[in-house]
Structures are given as structure tokens and as C-alpha cells.
Amino acid sequence: MPETYSTPSTHSSSASAASLAERIRAVGARATPARIRVLELLSVAPRPLSHHDVESALGAGSLDRVTLYRVLDWLVESGLAVKGADERRVWRFSLASGGTHGSHAHFHCEGCGRVFCLDMPAPSPPSLPGGFTLLRAALDLSGRCAQCNGVSA
Amino acid sequence: MPETYSTPSTHSSSASAASLAERIRAVGARATPARIRVLELLSVAPRPLSHHDVESALGAGSLDRVTLYRVLDWLVESGLAVKGADERRVWRFSLASGGTHGSHAHFHCEGCGRVFCLDMPAPSPPSLPGGFTLLRAALDLSGRCAQCNGVSA
DNA sequence: TCGCTATTTGCAACCTTGTTGCAAATAGCG
DNA sequence: CGCTATTTGCAACAAGGTTGCAAATAGCGA
């Protein structure tokens, strides 16, 4: 159940620390260094980051382990980020892509691990066995992205 | 990424210990009590079992924790079972359903957690952004199964 | 049927990922 | 500038899973 995502169309929002702080206050919370730094990292990350990724990117010990867990969870709770489990079942976090997560397909690159949202209508609701009710449908594609295929951008 | 599965059409293969032992030897391994008992459990389980499920079903301590981990991994490695992470990111194991996992859709019941394989052609390969190559496509549906909806069998 | 040996098992210790409780620090309001 | 609710850091804990190694055993061949 992937849940996170950059779009094939670039969206490297390398916002300034100040604007990130504003975005944090916009959701009604304090703009602390920890939150700003983590948000900053996520906003330039080429792929979803794990707790460990963030920790070592920040320099181990620069931020308490537990604080980082809490910042990451808070980011998700506040809607600024989304999390999804990777193939080793470790949470990975990435910036929430603006709008609501509508009905679309996901493409998982087996090369770099990134997940792309494809704007594509949800597949036509298939007929289910009697008595079954459908709540959600997801089309998950996997393969290799352009970059991993060596196609120059 | 669900990967396991009973079909809506029953397939409770409650094979005898002897035939299970044969199935084990068929993949070129020793038919030990541990393996037979675990395989037996999986073959009658109504839904994918976690390590913990199997452990307590067998009676805690009746089989070493580590041995159980190894038996479960071996089952997957040998192709007799498949594993998938549940919503709490804990591995759950179930018998591999006979044939190869062809192109079909999965239905995950949010009530009981079971995963059903729906015989249904894979969705038509969508057009991907330039440079992307498709290796796999999976249609994952979720909702409630007939039983959880209270529809008598 | 009996030994033999490669395969399995059990044990103990360890690792990774994540959580909880609580006191000290601090963002940002007035 | 001071106050207070919010955050942080620390220490301890917990679940799920892994590793190394010595003891037990499945099942082969004699």
C-alpha cells in the first residue's frame, strides 16, 4: 500500500527555511528547528526517506531519535507529509503532494524506489462476487522510471 | 503488496500429515515435525497467520521461536507458502495457491483481513510517461467480503 | 537394521524499529 | 520581558526479527 509520491512532473519545492516555518505555523503548530530541518530535507529528497535516512542526513545525534520519530509522525498527522511502508516494512516519509489523494494509479520504480502518481482514472469498478462491497481500488504498477532506464531528462 | 490468498471459492485443503510430509519432500527437504505441523496449520487457517498466531496455535514453547521463524521463511523460499505484510507491518503467511500467481486482482477484506484472488484480467496496460517501462501491474481492491457483510454463505 | 552425515533444531544473545513517561527547554503570545 | 503550553531529550521498554553455534535427528546407504 504505497502512499507517497512525487509526480513525474518535477515538483522539487526547495522552499526557504522561512517559508517552511510559515507552512508549519499555518497548520497551527510551533516552527521549531527540528521541524524546519526535517521538512526541508523531505522537500528536496528525491525519494521517500526513512527515519534512519533523515537521522543520518541530519548527522546522527544532532536530533534525538525519539524527537525525530515524533516530528515525522506529527508531519503526517498534520497533513504535511505522508508515510508508506517500504519493502522491508520500514516507514518512509515524503511531502504530501498538495491536493487530496484522488483516484489515480501509482507507479513504483524498482530501480530507485520512488513512487510516482500517475494521473489516470481509476479502473472501472470490476464486478465482485456476491455480497462483497468495494471501498477502495488501487492500480499499482511497477517497473523502471525514465531516469533509471538511462533516458536523459 | 498483498500476496496471499484463498479464493472466494473454497479451497480448504485439509491434507493429512502424511501427504503434507510428501509435499515437503517433493521440494527436496526433510519432513520434520515442525514443518509438518506448521504446514498443517496454514492449510486449515481461514486467513493468513502471523508468526505469533502460529506460535500460540501450536502452544507457546512447543516449538522454538527461532525455529518457527526459520520454518516460515523456508516455506516461502521453497514456494509452499507466500508472505505479505499486514496493516501493522507484521508478516503473515498462507499457503501458496497451487498455480503461478497469474495476472489477476486482489481483494482485501477490511473486516477479517483475508485476501481473495479474483479471476479477472489485468487492467489494460496504461500509457506511461516517456522512458518508463512496465514490469508488473496489480489491481488491489479493498472493502468487505460477503461474510463480514453478514451475507450468509 | 544400523551408522553416518548433512540438515534442522534449540538456546542465548543481539539488532532494528518504534513507543512511553517524565522532567527540562523553548516558541511565541500578551 | 515573563509565562505557559508545546516540544525536546533522556532513559527505559517492547515487539518483531536475526545470528552463531552446539546438540539432535531425518533419511540415505551399507
Short mmCIF file of all heavy atoms in Angstrom, two decimals, chain B residues 65-111:
data_model
loop_
_atom_site.label_atom_id
_atom_site.label_comp_id
_atom_site.label_asym_id
_atom_site.label_seq_id
_atom_site.Cartn_x
_atom_site.Cartn_y
_atom_site.Cartn_z
N ARG B 65 10.95 -20.35 19.11
CA ARG B 65 10.65 -19.12 18.38
C ARG B 65 11.46 -19.02 17.09
O ARG B 65 10.91 -18.75 16.01
CB ARG B 65 11.05 -17.96 19.29
CG ARG B 65 10.16 -16.78 19.35
CD ARG B 65 10.55 -15.91 20.54
NE ARG B 65 11.84 -15.28 20.36
CZ ARG B 65 12.03 -14.17 19.63
NH1 ARG B 65 11.02 -13.60 19.03
NH2 ARG B 65 13.21 -13.67 19.49
N VAL B 66 12.74 -19.21 17.22
CA VAL B 66 13.63 -19.07 16.06
C VAL B 66 13.35 -20.15 15.03
O VAL B 66 13.34 -19.89 13.83
CB VAL B 66 15.10 -19.14 16.50
CG1 VAL B 66 16.00 -19.04 15.30
CG2 VAL B 66 15.39 -18.03 17.49
N THR B 67 13.12 -21.37 15.49
CA THR B 67 12.82 -22.45 14.56
C THR B 67 11.59 -22.09 13.74
O THR B 67 11.54 -22.30 12.54
CB THR B 67 12.57 -23.76 15.32
OG1 THR B 67 13.74 -24.09 16.05
CG2 THR B 67 12.23 -24.88 14.37
N LEU B 68 10.59 -21.53 14.42
CA LEU B 68 9.38 -21.16 13.72
C LEU B 68 9.67 -20.11 12.66
O LEU B 68 9.20 -20.20 11.52
CB LEU B 68 8.33 -20.66 14.71
CG LEU B 68 7.00 -20.23 14.08
CD1 LEU B 68 6.48 -21.28 13.11
CD2 LEU B 68 5.97 -19.96 15.16
N TYR B 69 10.47 -19.10 13.01
CA TYR B 69 10.83 -18.10 12.02
C TYR B 69 11.48 -18.78 10.82
O TYR B 69 11.20 -18.48 9.68
CB TYR B 69 11.82 -17.09 12.61
CG TYR B 69 11.16 -15.93 13.33
CD1 TYR B 69 11.34 -15.73 14.69
CD2 TYR B 69 10.33 -15.05 12.64
CE1 TYR B 69 10.73 -14.67 15.34
CE2 TYR B 69 9.71 -13.98 13.29
CZ TYR B 69 9.91 -13.80 14.64
OH TYR B 69 9.31 -12.76 15.29
N ARG B 70 12.37 -19.74 11.13
CA ARG B 70 13.08 -20.39 10.05
C ARG B 70 12.17 -21.27 9.22
O ARG B 70 12.28 -21.32 7.99
CB ARG B 70 14.27 -21.17 10.61
CG ARG B 70 15.33 -20.19 11.10
CD ARG B 70 16.69 -20.82 11.29
NE ARG B 70 16.87 -21.40 12.60
CZ ARG B 70 17.91 -21.16 13.40
NH1 ARG B 70 18.87 -20.36 13.03
NH2 ARG B 70 18.00 -21.73 14.57
N VAL B 71 11.25 -21.96 9.85
CA VAL B 71 10.31 -22.80 9.11
C VAL B 71 9.46 -21.94 8.19
O VAL B 71 9.27 -22.26 7.02
CB VAL B 71 9.42 -23.62 10.06
CG1 VAL B 71 8.24 -24.22 9.31
CG2 VAL B 71 10.22 -24.73 10.73
N LEU B 72 8.98 -20.83 8.71
CA LEU B 72 8.13 -19.96 7.89
C LEU B 72 8.90 -19.41 6.70
O LEU B 72 8.40 -19.42 5.57
CB LEU B 72 7.57 -18.82 8.75
CG LEU B 72 6.50 -19.25 9.77
CD1 LEU B 72 6.16 -18.12 10.73
CD2 LEU B 72 5.25 -19.76 9.06
N ASP B 73 10.12 -18.97 6.95
CA ASP B 73 10.92 -18.45 5.85
C ASP B 73 11.20 -19.53 4.82
O ASP B 73 11.19 -19.28 3.62
CB ASP B 73 12.24 -17.86 6.36
CG ASP B 73 12.02 -16.49 6.98
OD1 ASP B 73 10.93 -15.90 6.78
OD2 ASP B 73 12.93 -16.00 7.68
N TRP B 74 11.45 -20.73 5.35
CA TRP B 74 11.75 -21.83 4.44
C TRP B 74 10.53 -22.15 3.57
O TRP B 74 10.66 -22.43 2.37
CB TRP B 74 12.17 -23.06 5.25
CG TRP B 74 12.23 -24.29 4.41
CD1 TRP B 74 13.26 -24.69 3.61
CD2 TRP B 74 11.19 -25.24 4.24
NE1 TRP B 74 12.93 -25.84 2.96
CE2 TRP B 74 11.66 -26.20 3.33
CE3 TRP B 74 9.91 -25.38 4.76
CZ2 TRP B 74 10.88 -27.28 2.93
CZ3 TRP B 74 9.13 -26.44 4.37
CH2 TRP B 74 9.62 -27.39 3.46
N LEU B 75 9.37 -22.09 4.17
CA LEU B 75 8.14 -22.36 3.41
C LEU B 75 8.01 -21.41 2.23
O LEU B 75 7.62 -21.81 1.13
CB LEU B 75 6.91 -22.21 4.32
CG LEU B 75 6.58 -23.40 5.22
CD1 LEU B 75 5.51 -23.02 6.23
CD2 LEU B 75 6.11 -24.59 4.38
N VAL B 76 8.33 -20.15 2.49
CA VAL B 76 8.23 -19.16 1.43
C VAL B 76 9.30 -19.40 0.37
O VAL B 76 9.02 -19.41 -0.82
CB VAL B 76 8.39 -17.73 2.00
CG1 VAL B 76 8.48 -16.71 0.88
CG2 VAL B 76 7.23 -17.41 2.92
N GLU B 77 10.51 -19.66 0.86
CA GLU B 77 11.63 -19.88 -0.05
C GLU B 77 11.37 -21.09 -0.96
O GLU B 77 11.72 -21.08 -2.13
CB GLU B 77 12.87 -20.15 0.78
CG GLU B 77 14.13 -19.51 0.27
CD GLU B 77 15.27 -19.82 1.22
OE1 GLU B 77 15.23 -19.33 2.38
OE2 GLU B 77 16.16 -20.58 0.83
N SER B 78 10.74 -22.09 -0.38
CA SER B 78 10.51 -23.31 -1.15
C SER B 78 9.27 -23.21 -2.02
O SER B 78 8.95 -24.11 -2.77
CB SER B 78 10.36 -24.48 -0.20
OG SER B 78 9.14 -24.36 0.50
N GLY B 79 8.56 -22.12 -1.89
CA GLY B 79 7.40 -21.95 -2.75
C GLY B 79 6.11 -22.54 -2.21
O GLY B 79 5.07 -22.49 -2.86
N LEU B 80 6.17 -23.14 -1.00
CA LEU B 80 4.95 -23.75 -0.46
C LEU B 80 4.02 -22.70 0.14
O LEU B 80 2.82 -22.93 0.28
CB LEU B 80 5.30 -24.80 0.60
CG LEU B 80 5.98 -26.05 0.07
CD1 LEU B 80 6.43 -26.95 1.21
CD2 LEU B 80 5.00 -26.81 -0.85
N ALA B 81 4.57 -21.59 0.54
CA ALA B 81 3.74 -20.54 1.13
C ALA B 81 4.16 -19.18 0.59
O ALA B 81 5.20 -19.05 -0.05
CB ALA B 81 3.87 -20.57 2.65
N VAL B 82 3.33 -18.20 0.84
CA VAL B 82 3.66 -16.84 0.45
C VAL B 82 3.48 -15.97 1.67
O VAL B 82 2.74 -16.31 2.58
CB VAL B 82 2.75 -16.32 -0.67
CG1 VAL B 82 3.09 -16.97 -1.98
CG2 VAL B 82 1.30 -16.53 -0.31
N LYS B 83 4.20 -14.86 1.72
CA LYS B 83 4.03 -13.98 2.87
C LYS B 83 3.74 -12.57 2.40
O LYS B 83 4.11 -12.17 1.30
CB LYS B 83 5.27 -14.00 3.75
CG LYS B 83 6.48 -13.28 3.18
CD LYS B 83 7.61 -13.24 4.21
CE LYS B 83 8.88 -12.66 3.60
NZ LYS B 83 10.00 -12.64 4.55
N GLY B 84 3.04 -11.84 3.25
CA GLY B 84 2.72 -10.46 2.94
C GLY B 84 2.59 -9.72 4.25
O GLY B 84 2.30 -10.33 5.28
N ALA B 85 2.84 -8.42 4.23
CA ALA B 85 2.76 -7.65 5.47
C ALA B 85 1.32 -7.22 5.72
O ALA B 85 0.60 -6.89 4.79
CB ALA B 85 3.66 -6.42 5.36
N ASP B 86 0.91 -7.30 6.98
CA ASP B 86 -0.44 -6.84 7.28
C ASP B 86 -0.41 -5.35 7.56
O ASP B 86 0.62 -4.69 7.41
CB ASP B 86 -1.06 -7.64 8.45
CG ASP B 86 -0.38 -7.36 9.77
OD1 ASP B 86 0.43 -6.43 9.84
OD2 ASP B 86 -0.67 -8.09 10.73
N GLU B 87 -1.54 -4.81 7.98
CA GLU B 87 -1.60 -3.35 8.17
C GLU B 87 -0.70 -2.85 9.29
O GLU B 87 -0.33 -1.69 9.34
CB GLU B 87 -3.06 -2.90 8.38
CG GLU B 87 -3.76 -3.41 9.62
CD GLU B 87 -4.04 -4.92 9.57
OE1 GLU B 87 -4.03 -5.52 8.46
OE2 GLU B 87 -4.25 -5.50 10.64
N ARG B 88 -0.30 -3.77 10.21
CA ARG B 88 0.63 -3.36 11.27
C ARG B 88 2.06 -3.69 10.87
O ARG B 88 2.98 -3.60 11.67
CB ARG B 88 0.27 -4.02 12.61
CG ARG B 88 -0.80 -3.23 13.36
CD ARG B 88 -0.81 -3.49 14.87
NE ARG B 88 0.07 -4.54 15.35
CZ ARG B 88 -0.24 -5.85 15.40
NH1 ARG B 88 -1.42 -6.28 14.99
NH2 ARG B 88 0.63 -6.71 15.86
N ARG B 89 2.22 -4.08 9.64
CA ARG B 89 3.53 -4.37 9.07
C ARG B 89 4.16 -5.60 9.69
O ARG B 89 5.37 -5.66 9.85
CB ARG B 89 4.46 -3.15 9.15
CG ARG B 89 3.96 -2.04 8.24
CD ARG B 89 4.44 -0.65 8.53
NE ARG B 89 5.75 -0.53 9.08
CZ ARG B 89 5.99 -0.32 10.36
NH1 ARG B 89 5.00 -0.26 11.24
NH2 ARG B 89 7.21 -0.18 10.77
N VAL B 90 3.32 -6.56 10.03
CA VAL B 90 3.82 -7.83 10.56
C VAL B 90 3.61 -8.85 9.44
O VAL B 90 2.60 -8.83 8.75
CB VAL B 90 3.01 -8.25 11.80
CG1 VAL B 90 3.37 -9.65 12.22
CG2 VAL B 90 3.23 -7.25 12.91
N TRP B 91 4.59 -9.73 9.26
CA TRP B 91 4.47 -10.74 8.20
C TRP B 91 3.36 -11.72 8.51
O TRP B 91 3.24 -12.19 9.64
CB TRP B 91 5.77 -11.52 8.05
CG TRP B 91 6.89 -10.75 7.46
CD1 TRP B 91 8.11 -10.57 8.02
CD2 TRP B 91 6.93 -10.09 6.19
NE1 TRP B 91 8.90 -9.81 7.17
CE2 TRP B 91 8.20 -9.50 6.05
CE3 TRP B 91 6.00 -9.93 5.16
CZ2 TRP B 91 8.57 -8.77 4.91
CZ3 TRP B 91 6.36 -9.20 4.04
CH2 TRP B 91 7.63 -8.64 3.93
N ARG B 92 2.58 -12.04 7.49
CA ARG B 92 1.56 -13.06 7.63
C ARG B 92 1.76 -14.07 6.51
O ARG B 92 2.09 -13.70 5.40
CB ARG B 92 0.15 -12.45 7.53
CG ARG B 92 -0.19 -11.65 8.75
CD ARG B 92 -1.63 -11.20 8.83
NE ARG B 92 -1.84 -10.65 10.16
CZ ARG B 92 -2.18 -11.37 11.22
NH1 ARG B 92 -2.42 -12.66 11.09
NH2 ARG B 92 -2.32 -10.80 12.39
N PHE B 93 1.58 -15.35 6.88
CA PHE B 93 1.88 -16.42 5.93
C PHE B 93 0.64 -17.22 5.58
O PHE B 93 -0.21 -17.48 6.42
CB PHE B 93 2.92 -17.37 6.52
CG PHE B 93 4.21 -16.67 6.88
CD1 PHE B 93 4.30 -15.92 8.05
CD2 PHE B 93 5.31 -16.74 6.05
CE1 PHE B 93 5.48 -15.27 8.38
CE2 PHE B 93 6.50 -16.09 6.37
CZ PHE B 93 6.58 -15.35 7.54
N SER B 94 0.57 -17.64 4.32
CA SER B 94 -0.51 -18.52 3.93
C SER B 94 -0.03 -19.43 2.82
O SER B 94 0.98 -19.15 2.16
CB SER B 94 -1.72 -17.72 3.48
OG SER B 94 -1.36 -16.90 2.41
N LEU B 95 -0.75 -20.54 2.65
CA LEU B 95 -0.35 -21.50 1.64
C LEU B 95 -0.33 -20.86 0.26
O LEU B 95 -1.19 -20.04 -0.07
CB LEU B 95 -1.36 -22.66 1.63
CG LEU B 95 -0.80 -23.98 2.06
CD1 LEU B 95 0.03 -23.83 3.32
CD2 LEU B 95 -1.93 -24.96 2.27
N ALA B 96 0.64 -21.24 -0.52
CA ALA B 96 0.68 -20.75 -1.89
C ALA B 96 -0.45 -21.44 -2.62
O ALA B 96 -0.62 -22.65 -2.51
CB ALA B 96 2.02 -21.09 -2.54
N SER B 97 -1.23 -20.67 -3.34
CA SER B 97 -2.35 -21.29 -4.05
C SER B 97 -1.85 -21.91 -5.34
O SER B 97 -1.57 -21.21 -6.29
CB SER B 97 -3.42 -20.24 -4.32
OG SER B 97 -2.82 -19.06 -4.76
N GLY B 98 -1.77 -23.23 -5.31
CA GLY B 98 -1.37 -24.02 -6.46
C GLY B 98 -0.56 -23.34 -7.55
O GLY B 98 0.64 -23.18 -7.42
N GLY B 99 -1.23 -22.98 -8.60
CA GLY B 99 -0.56 -22.43 -9.77
C GLY B 99 0.22 -21.16 -9.54
O GLY B 99 0.26 -20.62 -8.45
N THR B 100 0.83 -20.71 -10.59
CA THR B 100 1.57 -19.46 -10.50
C THR B 100 0.59 -18.31 -10.33
O THR B 100 -0.54 -18.39 -10.75
CB THR B 100 2.40 -19.22 -11.77
OG1 THR B 100 1.71 -19.81 -12.86
CG2 THR B 100 3.77 -19.80 -11.61
N HIS B 101 1.11 -17.31 -9.69
CA HIS B 101 0.31 -16.15 -9.42
C HIS B 101 0.16 -15.36 -10.71
O HIS B 101 0.94 -14.47 -11.01
CB HIS B 101 1.04 -15.31 -8.39
CG HIS B 101 0.13 -14.92 -7.28
ND1 HIS B 101 -0.65 -15.82 -6.61
CD2 HIS B 101 -0.15 -13.71 -6.73
CE1 HIS B 101 -1.34 -15.18 -5.68
NE2 HIS B 101 -1.06 -13.91 -5.74
N GLY B 102 -0.85 -15.68 -11.45
CA GLY B 102 -1.02 -15.05 -12.75
C GLY B 102 -1.46 -13.61 -12.65
O GLY B 102 -1.29 -12.96 -11.62
N SER B 103 -2.00 -13.16 -13.69
CA SER B 103 -2.46 -11.78 -13.74
C SER B 103 -3.90 -11.72 -13.26
O SER B 103 -4.81 -12.17 -13.93
CB SER B 103 -2.37 -11.30 -15.18
OG SER B 103 -3.05 -10.08 -15.31
N HIS B 104 -4.05 -11.21 -12.06
CA HIS B 104 -5.41 -11.11 -11.53
C HIS B 104 -5.47 -10.02 -10.47
O HIS B 104 -4.47 -9.42 -10.13
CB HIS B 104 -5.86 -12.46 -10.98
CG HIS B 104 -4.97 -12.95 -9.89
ND1 HIS B 104 -4.55 -14.25 -9.80
CD2 HIS B 104 -4.39 -12.30 -8.87
CE1 HIS B 104 -3.76 -14.36 -8.75
NE2 HIS B 104 -3.65 -13.19 -8.17
N ALA B 105 -6.64 -9.80 -9.93
CA ALA B 105 -6.78 -8.75 -8.94
C ALA B 105 -6.90 -9.35 -7.55
O ALA B 105 -7.28 -10.50 -7.38
CB ALA B 105 -8.03 -7.93 -9.26
N HIS B 106 -6.52 -8.56 -6.56
CA HIS B 106 -6.65 -9.00 -5.17
C HIS B 106 -7.73 -8.17 -4.50
O HIS B 106 -7.84 -6.97 -4.72
CB HIS B 106 -5.33 -8.76 -4.42
CG HIS B 106 -4.26 -9.72 -4.79
ND1 HIS B 106 -2.97 -9.34 -5.07
CD2 HIS B 106 -4.30 -11.05 -4.95
CE1 HIS B 106 -2.26 -10.41 -5.38
NE2 HIS B 106 -3.05 -11.46 -5.31
N PHE B 107 -8.49 -8.83 -3.65
CA PHE B 107 -9.49 -8.11 -2.87
C PHE B 107 -9.15 -8.30 -1.42
O PHE B 107 -9.08 -9.43 -0.93
CB PHE B 107 -10.91 -8.64 -3.16
CG PHE B 107 -11.97 -7.90 -2.39
CD1 PHE B 107 -12.64 -6.83 -2.95
CD2 PHE B 107 -12.30 -8.28 -1.09
CE1 PHE B 107 -13.61 -6.13 -2.24
CE2 PHE B 107 -13.27 -7.59 -0.37
CZ PHE B 107 -13.93 -6.51 -0.93
N HIS B 108 -8.89 -7.20 -0.73
CA HIS B 108 -8.52 -7.26 0.69
C HIS B 108 -9.73 -6.88 1.52
O HIS B 108 -10.26 -5.79 1.40
CB HIS B 108 -7.37 -6.29 0.95
CG HIS B 108 -7.03 -6.17 2.40
ND1 HIS B 108 -6.06 -6.94 2.99
CD2 HIS B 108 -7.54 -5.40 3.38
CE1 HIS B 108 -6.00 -6.65 4.28
NE2 HIS B 108 -6.89 -5.69 4.54
N CYS B 109 -10.18 -7.81 2.38
CA CYS B 109 -11.34 -7.50 3.23
C CYS B 109 -10.86 -6.76 4.47
O CYS B 109 -10.02 -7.25 5.22
CB CYS B 109 -12.08 -8.77 3.64
SG CYS B 109 -13.44 -8.37 4.77
N GLU B 110 -11.44 -5.57 4.69
CA GLU B 110 -11.03 -4.76 5.84
C GLU B 110 -11.66 -5.26 7.12
O GLU B 110 -11.33 -4.81 8.21
CB GLU B 110 -11.39 -3.30 5.59
CG GLU B 110 -10.67 -2.74 4.38
CD GLU B 110 -10.86 -1.24 4.20
OE1 GLU B 110 -11.61 -0.63 4.99
OE2 GLU B 110 -10.26 -0.70 3.25
N GLY B 111 -12.59 -6.20 6.97
CA GLY B 111 -13.22 -6.76 8.17
C GLY B 111 -12.37 -7.87 8.77
O GLY B 111 -11.91 -7.78 9.91
#
